[in-house]
Amino acid sequence: MFRAAVRAAGLLLVLGAGAAPARAVPDKPVRFAGEMVRVDAFASGLDHPWGMAFLPDGRLLVTERPGRLRVVERNGVVGPALAGVPAVAAVGQGGLLDVALDPAFFDNRFIYLSFAEPRADGLATAVARARLSADADALTDLTVIFRQQPAWPGGAHFGSRLAFAPDGTLFVTLGERFDLKERAQDLSTTLGKVVRINPDGSIPPDNPYARVTGARPEIYSYGHRNVQGAAIEPGTGRLWTVEHGPRGGDEVNRPMPGRNYGWPVIGYGRHYSGAKVGEGTAKTGMEQPLFYWDPSIAPSGAAFYDGALLPAFQGQLFVGALAGAALVEVKVRDGLVMGEERLPLGARVRDVRMGPDGALWLATDSAEGQILRVVPATAPRGGPAEDQNLWKMK
């Protein structure tokens, strides 16, 4: 288990949380993660984009936190908001959050949306499934397949990343809603948990608490704070998550079924008041992170790279940094984390996706949010629409 600190300067390209944001990387070659790369702007004019998912034809679904779902065309044009999106509570950190395609999308056209759902007793993370119309301009047959319990009036820590496992089950990451942090240890709630459900919302019978009295059967792992990054590792099919700490202590974990990841009993940061977290950094029966950041970078979306366009990126985990205003390579070797490297962007990176063109795609979090592409420095200008052969869904 490694710590990222300013004194580990050999791997760091920019200071973390608390430092002034770096200037944006120009569209000139820069060395990052073993490659000479360039960062191109692909689309702009998005209002706090949160999640991205590629359609089979290479177009991009993008959620906007205020409650809109849009299609970005292959030439970078942002389309109108789609009809049929569920009502969301765009309060604090809440709103329309992640988006994912069903593994059988070619056959059923299902997509999944996570969002902060307004309820009579407060707000809570929910997941809806809907069909995307043939023209990709509307959603139909929308059904809420999962609701976090309980709801709470606050506007913080919704978690909300969606990741499909190779067996077709769906992982949903859930925050502990900040004010209810102690209940991340409470198995009768889904606060501060990673849950695992079937695509219709039913419970896989091999979930660790599927037959445990008093526990929520959808729980996969617990003791999490606010997981906003989730990715399936190519080759192994293992889930990796990235989670916000308070003042320091952001974590990279590889959640295992039934394991307790410690929050708020243990952690490597401090509460915003300056008080230490719980009982310290370790306790018997609680898992240690594979890696943590101190000071905090405020990590969000995450993706493993498994393309051919940037060979040195192969097998590495890439994480967006909000406070850190960077793209972060988490250096993975044989299931362990060996360090990190940062590409300063001067923008809050909310989501990271591996594109079907082999580029890394980023969404920046602002009222004038952008979609960026990390490509080889020698790549032709103009974007992936120039080469139709680049668009190959895996």
Side-chain angles (χ1 to χ4, degrees):
M1 183 271 295
F2 279 78
R3 174 187 176 187
V6 173
R7 62 177 174 268
L11 291 173
L12 304 188
L13 300 181
V14 66
L15 293 178
R23 296 180 62 187
V25 171
D27 60 351
K28 296 178 181 179
V30 60
R31 180 162 291 279
F32 170 61
E35 296 278 359
M36 291 299 295
V37 301
R38 192 180 71 238
V39 181
D40 290 347
F42 181 75
S44 60
L46 292 156
D47 188 355
H48 294 281
W50 210 95
M52 301 183 287
F54 283 96
L55 294 170
D57 62 5
R59 291 183 294 171
L60 185 63
L61 287 173
V62 180
T63 60
E64 293 178 307
R65 190 161 49 80
R68 293 177 292 271
L69 177 65
R70 298 188 186 274
V71 174
V72 179
E73 300 292 336
R74 286 166 50 166
N75 61 3
V77 172
V78 178
L82 275 65
V85 173
V88 307
V91 177
Q93 298 169 4
L96 186 61
L97 303 173
D98 209 8
V99 57
L101 267 61
D102 191 287
F105 179 83
F106 280 103
D107 300 319
N108 59 31
R109 295 195 66 81
F110 279 138
I111 71 165
Y112 298 77
L113 296 168
S114 64
F115 60 103
E117 182 182 45
R119 301 183 197 164
D121 53 348
L123 316 175
T125 302
V127 179
R129 181 174 76 171
R131 292 187 197 275
L132 182 66
S133 67
D135 294 331
D137 60 358
L139 302 181
T140 62
D141 303 325
L142 187 137
T143 303
V144 176
I145 61 167
F146 170 80
R147 287 185 165 97
Q148 185 182 35
Q149 301 294 340
W152 180 252
H157 293 193
F158 293 92
S160 262
R161 285 297 169 191
L162 305 173
F164 274 100
D167 65 2
T169 58
L170 175 62
F171 290 110
V172 184
T173 71
L174 301 167
E176 29 71 294
R177 303 305 314 287
F178 187 73
D179 296 316
L180 304 180
K181 60 181 177 294
E182 303 298 335
R183 303 191 73 180
Q185 294 291 318
D186 180 356
L187 294 177
S188 71
T189 79
T190 49
L191 298 167
K193 311 297 193 294
V194 173
V195 301
R196 176 175 176 256
I197 57 177
N198 291 317
D200 62 358
S202 61
I203 307 300
D206 58 344
N207 271 6
Y209 298 102
R211 295 178 178 83
V212 176
T213 302
R216 301 287 307 190
E218 61 267 45
I219 292 173
Y220 185 78
S221 61
Y222 66 107
H224 299 285
R225 185 173 182 267
N226 188 24
V227 182
Q228 287 192 352
I232 302 297
E233 184 179 18
T236 69
R238 296 181 298 195
L239 174 70
W240 290 58
T241 60
V242 184
E243 122 180 31
H244 287 265
R247 289 173 54 183
D250 305 328
E251 294 183 359
V252 177
N253 288 301
R254 192 169 58 234
M256 301 293 288
R259 301 285 180 88
N260 180 354
Y261 288 82
W263 182 257
V265 181
I266 61 173
Y268 282 88
R270 284 189 171 268
H271 292 296
Y272 298 122
S273 66
K276 75 172 187 177
V277 170
E279 300 177 22
T281 59
K283 185 174 182 178
T284 301
M286 296 182 177
E287 304 300 314
Q288 287 288 300
L290 295 176
F291 186 84
Y292 70 92
W293 286 274
D294 185 16
S296 172
I297 64 167
S300 192
F304 277 96
Y305 187 86
D306 66 346
L309 195 64
L310 295 156
F313 284 15
Q314 275 279 350
Q316 303 308 297
L317 180 67
F318 291 86
V319 175
L322 297 167
L327 174 65
V328 182
E329 180 205 21
V330 176
K331 297 179 180 293
V332 178
R333 301 287 186 274
D334 300 322
L336 301 176
V337 176
M338 309 307 294
E340 57 123 78
E341 184 176 336
R342 304 184 195 181
L343 176 63
L345 293 172
R348 291 164 53 87
V349 180
R350 174 64 72 182
D351 198 15
V352 182
R353 300 287 167 154
M354 169 73 205
D357 60 341
L360 268 182
W361 292 64
L362 317 177
T364 67
D365 178 39
S366 80
E368 293 293 330
Q370 292 184 299
I371 305 300
L372 307 176
R373 296 171 64 243
V374 181
V375 298
T378 56
R381 300 282 177 171
E386 292 182 349
D387 186 350
Q388 304 302 311
N389 294 321
L390 287 175
W391 295 109
K392 296 178 181 179
M393 292 296 284
K394 296 183 182 299

